Amino acid sequence: MKKIFFLVGLPRAGNTLLGSILNQNTNIAVTANSIIPDILYDLYQVKNQSTFKNFPDHQSFNNIAHHVFDRYYKDWNYKYIIDRAPWGTPDNLKILKETQKDIKIIVLVRDIIEVLASFIRWSHNRNNTFIRRYNVKTIEEKCDKLMQEDYIIEKNLKAVKHLLLPENKNLCHLVEYNDLVEHPKCTIEGIYDYLKISKFKH
């Protein structure tokens, strides 16, 4: 049976780097941005409908909701799946707690000013980026756009903040971007220790 873990990370905080390292291990699959939070959120909206309220069969509902991960990853030939999404937002984490046991979340963090600076540098080196399509010119205007509500930075920042609350910190293993870049071996071994899986020579 596959074991599901979770990855929450600010953008430009090493998500791709971490995934490319861990995916060298043929037992591990770190996913791209996952659609499972959207699947589960939409599924739970059914409980607000009159059809369900008229006949609230919670056990039958749970038979589906509690097995979404198993069914979604049924054909993935890996022992360990690390599902990447903003799992720390209040709604996502609430559903995760209802549907999963032994939750372990890797949380990638980086100073928000460094995140913004990395996005700006990235946009300067490419002509066709989403930042350029905003039709803004100054760095300040670009940062305002990047930090707009419900955009990827703000959503993941909210997820990280919620995970750092006392009642949630026991679910998390924090990984600093600078530690991943400057001390990758030690950082990766720390992740293996946290997940309690056999180490791999990367």
Side-chain angles (χ1 to χ4, degrees):
M1 186 174 177
K2 297 177 181 68
K3 180 68 178 173
I4 309 294
F5 302 115
F6 306 95
L7 172 62
V8 173
L10 292 174
R12 313 301 293 178
N15 293 279
T16 303
L17 174 61
L18 179 62
S20 67
I21 295 172
L22 291 176
N23 284 338
Q24 294 170 7
N25 186 336
T26 55
N27 287 322
I28 296 176
V30 180
T31 74
N33 286 311
S34 174
I35 64 169
I36 295 183
D38 298 315
I39 293 171
L40 282 168
Y41 181 81
D42 288 344
L43 183 60
Y44 269 78
Q45 293 309 300
V46 170
K47 286 192 169 186
N48 296 322
Q49 296 179 7
S50 59
T51 309
F52 183 84
K53 290 180 178 179
N54 287 338
F55 186 73
D57 185 354
H58 292 279
Q59 182 56 54
S60 296
F61 178 90
N62 289 343
N63 288 341
I64 297 173
H66 291 198
H67 295 281
V68 166
F69 285 98
D70 295 337
R71 302 309 300 167
Y72 187 87
Y73 289 117
K74 175 179 175 290
D75 296 321
W76 288 49
N77 191 26
Y78 301 92
K79 288 176 66 175
Y80 309 107
I81 307 289
I82 302 177
D83 189 275
R84 175 185 169 192
W87 286 113
T89 61
D91 286 341
N92 285 345
L93 190 60
K94 182 176 183 289
I95 291 174
L96 206 59
K97 287 179 177 179
E98 287 184 20
T99 60
Q100 301 300 302
K101 297 177 181 177
D102 189 27
I103 298 169
K104 290 182 182 288
I105 307 174
I106 301 164
V107 183
L108 273 170
V109 294
R110 187 180 186 184
D111 184 276
I112 194 64
I113 299 300
E114 291 182 15
V115 169
L116 291 169
S118 179
F119 265 119
I120 300 300
R121 282 195 302 272
W122 171 74
S123 72
H124 284 170
N125 295 330
R126 291 166 177 79
N127 291 324
N128 187 29
T129 68
F130 68 92
I131 300 174
R132 288 179 182 265
R133 292 197 294 271
Y134 284 148
N135 197 28
V136 291
K137 296 180 180 177
T138 69
I139 290 176
E140 288 79 8
E141 288 173 330
K142 290 178 180 179
C143 288
D144 284 343
K145 281 290 185 181
L146 287 167
M147 290 301 296
Q148 64 189 353
E149 190 171 1
D150 288 332
Y151 179 60
I152 188 171
I153 295 179
E154 192 269 348
K155 185 179 289 187
N156 281 283
L157 198 58
K158 186 185 295 182
V160 171
K161 180 180 178 182
H162 189 240
L163 286 170
L164 294 180
L165 293 175
E167 62 267 30
N168 299 323
K169 284 186 74 173
N170 64 310
L171 305 175
C172 305
H173 176 74
L174 283 183
V175 175
E176 293 275 356
Y177 170 80
N178 290 330
D179 290 336
L180 178 61
V181 172
E182 296 169 13
H183 310 288
K185 185 174 186 293
C186 180
T187 303
I188 295 298
E189 287 182 352
I191 291 172
Y192 276 92
D193 289 339
Y194 170 65
L195 300 180
K196 295 182 179 176
I197 61 179
S198 299
K199 296 221 172 85
F200 177 85
K201 187 176 181 181
H202 288 276

